[in-house]
Amino acid sequence: MARHDKMVILTVFIIAVVFLPSTEGFFSYNPFKRAASLFDGHEFWSQFQQGFKQLESAAKEEVEKIESSKAKSGSQAGEGKDEETGTDLLDIGGSSDFSSFGLPGGFLSNLFGSMGTGLAMARQPWWKGPNVCVEREEIDESQHHNRTEDAESEDEEGGVFGSFQFSSCQQTDIKYTCTTKIRNHGIRKTFIVKYQCCHGFRRVEGKPGCTEVHLKSLMETASDVGGKDFVQLVRTSGLEEKMSGNNMTLFVPSDDAVRDFTDSLQEANQVEFYVPPASARRRRAIGMEGTSMRDIVLGHMVPGFYDISELVNEQVLYSDNGNSSVRMNFYLAPGERLVTANCARLTSVNNYATNGIVHVVDRMIRPVTKTLAELIAQDNQFAILRSLLSKTGLLQKLKEPGHITIFAPTDSAFEKLDPAVRSRLMQGEACIGNVLKHHLVPHTVCSTAVQTRLTTMNMDGDTLQLERRPDDGKLFVSGIQIVAKDVVGTNGIIHVIDGIIMPDSARPITGVLSSHNLTTFLSLLREAGLAESLDSMSNVTLFAPTDEALAKPEAMATLEKLRADKDRLRDLLLYHTTGPEVQSCDFSNDKQLKSGLADKSIRINLYATLPFFTGAITRATAQCARLINFDNRACGGVIHEVDKLLVPPSGSILELIERGDNYTLLRKIMKGTGLEEELNGEGPFTFLAPPDSALYKLEEEDLKILTEDKHLAERVLRQHILPEALCCAGVGATSWPFTNRVETLSGRSVAVRRDHEGRVHIGSTMVKDCDIPATNGLIHTVNRVMVPHDNRRNGFQKFENPNVEVFLYGL
């Protein structure tokens, strides 16, 4: 063992010393260059150099070698080939060296002698052992590229070398596949070599190559695995000779599955998939014919060998029944992987026979030859569904190849709808496209995949919840029962349902407001006469206050004033609308949306409320109302729920200060400072406005100085102005030392936080009245004044009240 370890270490060191100097063109310093020079003149060094020269030439000659190898193997027909499969048998003697890796034969032998050969044999992989068959495929890509493309691709792929050879290998339980791509002077070829046990042999852990196993015929194997009744069907259908004389993969229904085979299953590709009892009796009375038993049996036979480990999800195989399709699906379930063939669950897989493979399924497989569109078109129970699919253009999608699941409502399901809603749907209104897309899933979902609960995504972008009841096994999708399941078409699966999945995206705006318990706002819309007109709108966005928001005292006071004037109430409600439709992903900070109220905009703001994570947006506001539930889709629009009533601004910050009864002292201090024009500008600004009560906390003489010294007054006021719109909702709950800071118009920053009682603090001020809206920002009424720290140079040296410092914040 120790000798083996030393040899490996020596090999790694020598390869590093020899090979890394070839990277000299990439690195300015090669740490192995000096070490390699020490070996100059040694005999084994010349052997290394010779070996790598051979390796380089081997890459250039790879195309010729593989082509000549193919020609040679072709001329030796029957020699080295498996008689049953016709694939090449792996030459054990010729594979003991490393020629299959592109290394020159004898290279390791020259280096290590018999030791190298012994090591290679000891570590020989299973696919180099006996009874392994080899399949080779050559793909010539040169003809798909013109000379210009070749030149460009050589520059890209070959880099500084001008050409290259790349190989990659992948191993499964039964197969080892190597792919080699060669790009050399205009030659573009891909070679695929597959190693697998020859038919009749299996891999056995711990043994080289493949071990022979005793195989029986397909008929005997099918009987042994529980398919005796199906074998009898094969005989009575006159297909015994076909099964015995051809290589095929057989999906064998268990004896229980055959015994459960009913008349409705024999009518697999007839019209109805779910037939009410009365209709079923009527059909039997008229003697409607079903699919022949021979066709059904042929639908279980697929030419060729298909081991389950080699198949992928949504792979479609074609049976001997006129190429009817067999769709394979793989689903993950707790503790297992479910495999289905045309939604029939595989209960036993990979049972090899002399001329095929047998997989056992838990039900008879229906022959599948029609698309989903054809299956729906020929069933009278789907007349309404077919008409609506045609109107929306979705019927064409069901004709095309693909993987679709449709939860198909019957005509009786549509009749259960409210007559007004059904009428709008039949006229192509009420967002019928959204309704139908809610019933379509862009992948195949067999009922077997639903063990208890399953969530999937439909074509409308919403989730569907599928559930299987544990007591009776009944299936439901979004609360609606699936009355017939797993009707397979060539491009997907149909599940028949007895109701309509009515998503919010298909309901009118008033309907979504009602379903989301936004009843107070809905009643206001009806009171103002806006409900019907809002439902008729398209491409509209609505910011809807919750019932809790409208129950706040300030909201109730505002509404009480407006209810006496219906026009003013209407204007307030229109201010909550905008167009076109704006999803939350379309929001950006300080984005202004033109509202339904003339000349009024809704300002959108985005905030990062987590300390240090300034790039992580965690909160959004509309006119400082926090969005608490957003992107609720409705027919013709989208609804965002907000936590307070939106009040349209009635002027700029300056205009609001000039009109405010509690800002008389602030107006005197501001007048003549130069800030008046600025606060009447575009913004946005946040003004921390001290009311008269805060300014009266100053000494009379100090207040006089602040009023008369306009330079000082401007400096003080600039520290109360933020060059951004900072809503109270944009301030998160934080504590020291995890606090955020914002810049003031003076260029200095102040801390922003929310205390344990939810009050907002900006600098040393506490906000008493939040979010007074202005056209160019907002006003917060604060409880105190912030002044510069260097107050002695600005006239405040006469302060004698020791309590003044309580109200001042030094920066």
Side-chain angles (χ1 to χ4, degrees):
M1 187 67 178
R3 182 180 181 186
H4 174 266
D5 292 341
K6 290 179 181 179
M7 183 189 68
V8 172
I9 293 172
L10 175 62
T11 304
V12 173
F13 172 74
I14 292 175
I15 291 175
V17 169
V18 174
F19 191 77
L20 287 181
S22 65
T23 64
E24 193 170 289
F26 295 93
F27 302 99
S28 59
Y29 171 68
N30 188 344
F32 294 97
K33 182 176 182 180
R34 183 175 180 275
S37 65
L38 298 177
F39 291 95
D40 288 342
H42 290 275
E43 181 178 352
F44 78 91
W45 177 251
S46 61
Q47 293 178 1
F48 265 110
Q49 291 178 320
Q50 181 181 0
F52 278 101
K53 287 181 180 179
Q54 294 177 8
L55 178 62
E56 182 180 1
S57 60
K60 296 180 179 179
E61 299 170 2
E62 187 66 28
V63 177
E64 290 81 359
K65 286 174 62 179
I66 295 179
E67 289 178 345
S68 62
S69 175
K70 278 193 65 178
K72 182 178 180 180
S73 62
S75 63
Q76 297 175 348
E79 185 176 334
K81 286 185 178 289
D82 182 91
E83 294 181 358
E84 292 187 12
T85 64
T87 57
D88 295 335
L89 289 170
L90 184 62
D91 182 3
I92 303 302
S95 64
S96 60
D97 59 25
F98 286 78
S99 59
S100 63
F101 294 98
L103 294 176
F107 169 64
L108 287 181
S109 178
N110 291 336
L111 177 60
F112 297 111
S114 60
M115 183 186 298
T117 304
L119 174 63
M121 292 297 293
R123 306 183 71 178
Q124 187 179 71
W126 71 268
W127 45 272
K128 285 198 168 192
N131 306 313
V132 177
C133 289
V134 184
E135 296 180 10
R136 295 184 174 89
E137 180 183 3
E138 174 186 332
I139 304 174
D140 190 350
E141 302 167 353
S142 303
Q143 58 186 345
H144 302 299
H145 298 77
N146 57 38
R147 294 184 178 180
T148 303
E149 291 174 331
D150 282 339
E152 292 175 353
S153 61
E154 281 191 16
D155 289 341
E156 295 175 358
E157 298 173 338
V160 296
F161 299 108
S163 62
F164 81 97
Q165 173 180 324
F166 175 77
S167 297
S168 62
C169 298
Q170 183 179 11
Q171 181 168 290
T172 65
D173 292 339
I174 65 169
K175 188 176 294 184
Y176 184 79
T177 305
C178 285
T179 302
T180 301
K181 292 182 178 292
I182 296 176
R183 305 292 184 266
N184 192 1
H185 302 294
I187 297 176
R188 303 169 58 91
K189 290 194 175 184
T190 299
F191 298 92
I192 302 175
V193 183
K194 298 179 182 178
Y195 303 85
Q196 59 186 349
C197 292
C198 299
H199 198 71
F201 296 85
R202 297 289 176 273
R203 284 190 61 191
V204 177
E205 192 67 30
K207 292 186 178 182
C210 302
T211 302
E212 185 176 9
V213 293
H214 177 66
L215 300 180
K216 297 180 180 181
S217 68
L218 272 173
M219 296 281 282
E220 293 175 300
T221 303
S223 295
D224 290 345
V225 296
K228 293 180 181 178
D229 288 352
F230 182 77
V231 170
Q232 186 60 37
L233 290 178
V234 172
R235 291 194 176 102
T236 57
S237 300
L239 296 172
E240 184 174 3
E241 183 178 351
K242 179 179 182 65
M243 185 181 291
S244 302
N246 296 277
N247 295 335
M248 66 177 61
T249 297
L250 200 61
F251 293 92
V252 176
S254 64
D255 289 346
D256 288 340
V258 175
R259 294 188 187 108
D260 293 339
F261 192 45
T262 63
D263 290 343
S264 61
L265 290 175
Q266 293 181 31
E267 297 169 357
N269 267 340
Q270 295 296 327
V271 182
E272 283 100 354
F273 314 126
Y274 166 66
V275 183
S279 299
R281 289 193 295 270
R282 186 166 59 252
R283 288 174 55 124
R284 285 195 292 270
I286 63 176
M288 186 174 289
E289 296 182 356
T291 306
S292 72
M293 181 60 66
R294 179 183 174 87
D295 288 342
I296 292 174
V297 173
L298 285 173
H300 293 75
M301 302 178 179
V302 176
F305 299 99
Y306 290 98
D307 189 290
I308 292 300
S309 64
E310 297 298 302
L311 299 177
V312 296
N313 187 42
E314 303 284 20
Q315 184 169 347
V316 177
L317 311 178
Y318 295 94
S319 73
D320 275 328
N321 178 23
N323 282 333
S324 67
S325 61
V326 178
R327 179 181 296 274
M328 304 301 301
N329 285 106
F330 296 82
Y331 303 104
L332 292 178
E336 62 177 327
R337 185 179 73 155
L338 303 177
V339 185
T340 64
N342 279 2
C343 288
R345 183 175 179 179
L346 275 64
T347 58
S348 177
V349 300
N350 298 337
N351 301 288
Y352 278 78
T354 54
N355 60 322
I357 304 176
V358 176
H359 307 301
V360 181
V361 293
D362 67 352
R363 71 186 77 165
M364 294 289 285
I365 294 178
R366 307 166 183 248
V368 178
T369 58
K370 297 178 181 179
T371 65
L372 298 178
E374 291 173 322
L375 292 174
I376 290 174
Q378 68 184 13
D379 195 324
N380 292 331
Q381 294 183 104
F382 298 130
I384 296 177
L385 175 63
R386 183 171 60 251
S387 172
L388 297 179
L389 287 169
S390 180
K391 286 181 180 179
T392 57
L394 290 172
L395 190 62
Q396 178 61 35
K397 192 173 186 65
L398 299 184
K399 297 178 181 179
E400 301 168 353
H403 317 286
I404 297 175
T405 300
I406 178 170
F407 296 94
T410 61
D411 290 353
S412 61
F414 282 98
E415 291 171 1
K416 295 178 182 179
L417 289 174
D418 178 87
V421 175
R422 184 172 66 250
S423 175
R424 294 183 65 190
L425 289 176
M426 294 304 297
Q427 294 172 13
E429 300 175 0
C431 298
I432 182 59
N434 293 349
V435 176
L436 296 179
K437 286 180 180 179
H438 216 76
H439 292 73
L440 299 175
V441 175
H443 50 267
T444 52
V445 181
C446 294
S447 63
T448 299
V450 187
Q451 299 291 294
T452 53
R453 289 182 177 85
L454 178 70
T455 300
T456 187
M457 188 76 71
N458 60 35
M459 287 187 179
D460 199 32
D462 289 336
T463 57
L464 290 180
Q465 302 290 337
L466 288 94
E467 179 183 6
R468 184 187 296 272
R469 287 183 180 174
D471 51 349
D472 54 15
K474 290 183 178 180
L475 289 170
F476 294 84
V477 54
S478 295
I480 297 174
Q481 186 177 355
I482 298 174
V483 294
K485 61 187 179 182
D486 301 331
V487 181
V488 184
T490 58
N491 56 346
I493 300 170
I494 296 175
H495 301 298
V496 183
I497 58 178
D498 66 352
I500 307 298
I501 306 173
M502 186 63 69
D504 281 348
S505 59
R507 301 177 189 271
I509 288 178
T510 56
V512 177
L513 290 174
S514 178
S515 65
H516 284 252
N517 294 319
L518 300 169
T519 54
T520 305
F521 189 70
L522 177 58
S523 65
L524 290 172
L525 290 172
R526 287 171 175 162
E527 184 178 339
L530 289 174
E532 291 185 6
S533 60
L534 196 60
D535 282 344
S536 64
M537 292 182 183
S538 61
N539 206 14
V540 65
T541 300
L542 179 66
F543 295 95
T546 63
D547 286 358
E548 294 79 4
L550 296 178
K552 293 178 180 179
E554 58 272 21
M556 294 181 68
T558 301
L559 292 173
E560 190 64 29
K561 293 178 183 178
L562 297 179
R563 275 189 162 131
D565 188 338
K566 192 172 182 179
D567 290 337
R568 292 180 64 193
L569 177 62
R570 179 186 178 91
D571 288 344
L572 177 66
L573 297 178
L574 285 174
Y575 183 65
H576 289 73
T577 66
T578 184
E581 183 176 312
V582 182
Q583 302 276 353
S584 62
C585 58
D586 300 319
F587 290 164
S588 60
N589 193 39
D590 278 325
K591 183 172 186 175
Q592 295 198 63
L593 307 175
K594 187 176 181 181
S595 75
L597 183 60
D599 302 324
K600 301 295 181 182
S601 296
I602 301 173
R603 186 184 299 274
I604 300 294
N605 285 106
L606 307 178
Y607 299 103
T609 58
L610 298 176
F612 305 119
F613 297 94
T614 56
I617 302 301
T618 58
R619 196 163 295 177
T621 62
Q623 208 61 25
C624 284
R626 183 179 177 183
L627 273 70
I628 56 176
N629 189 2
F630 42 85
D631 296 339
N632 298 306
R633 299 177 61 197
C635 181
V638 61
I639 299 173
H640 305 297
E641 295 181 28
V642 292
D643 68 349
K644 67 179 182 180
L645 187 70
L646 304 191
V647 178
S650 59
S652 67
I653 292 176
L654 179 64
E655 290 170 337
L656 295 180
I657 294 296
E658 289 178 342
R659 294 200 301 260
D661 294 337
N662 60 337
Y663 296 130
T664 56
L665 293 178
L666 180 59
R667 288 196 292 271
K668 292 180 181 180
I669 295 172
M670 185 187 302
K671 189 171 183 179
T673 60
L675 288 174
E676 294 172 295
E677 182 178 353
E678 198 161 353
L679 292 179
N680 206 33
E682 183 177 353
F685 302 108
T686 299
F687 191 13
L688 310 176
D692 292 345
S693 58
L695 289 167
Y696 275 130
K697 292 177 182 179
L698 299 176
E699 290 290 331
E700 183 177 348
E701 186 176 354
D702 300 332
L703 182 57
K704 181 179 179 182
I705 294 173
L706 188 60
T707 304
E708 294 175 353
D709 189 339
K710 296 304 178 183
H711 177 71
L712 175 61
E714 183 171 346
R715 290 189 60 207
V716 171
L717 292 179
R718 282 187 176 274
Q719 297 199 52
H720 291 73
I721 302 173
L722 311 179
E724 61 177 292
L726 178 60
C727 300
C728 286
V731 180
T734 56
S735 59
W736 188 90
F738 303 105
T739 57
N740 290 323
R741 301 185 72 84
V742 293
E743 294 289 327
T744 66
L745 211 59
S746 68
R748 301 201 179 172
S749 64
V750 294
V752 177
R753 64 185 179 88
R754 185 183 291 270
D755 64 24
H756 64 282
E757 293 184 2
R759 297 173 300 195
V760 174
H761 297 260
I762 303 176
S764 65
T765 68
M766 183 176 69
V767 178
K768 303 294 288 183
D769 190 5
C770 278
D771 306 328
I772 302 170
T775 55
N776 59 344
L778 56 128
I779 297 173
H780 298 316
T781 301
V782 296
N783 69 333
R784 64 185 57 171
V785 182
M786 293 188 291
V787 299
H789 183 65
D790 53 345
N791 50 30
R792 293 200 176 187
R793 291 176 292 161
N794 299 285
F796 277 71
Q797 70 274 18
K798 296 181 180 179
F799 280 170
E800 296 176 357
N801 186 353
N803 294 324
V804 166
E805 291 301 323
V806 174
F807 306 109
L808 302 182
Y809 179 75
L811 296 178

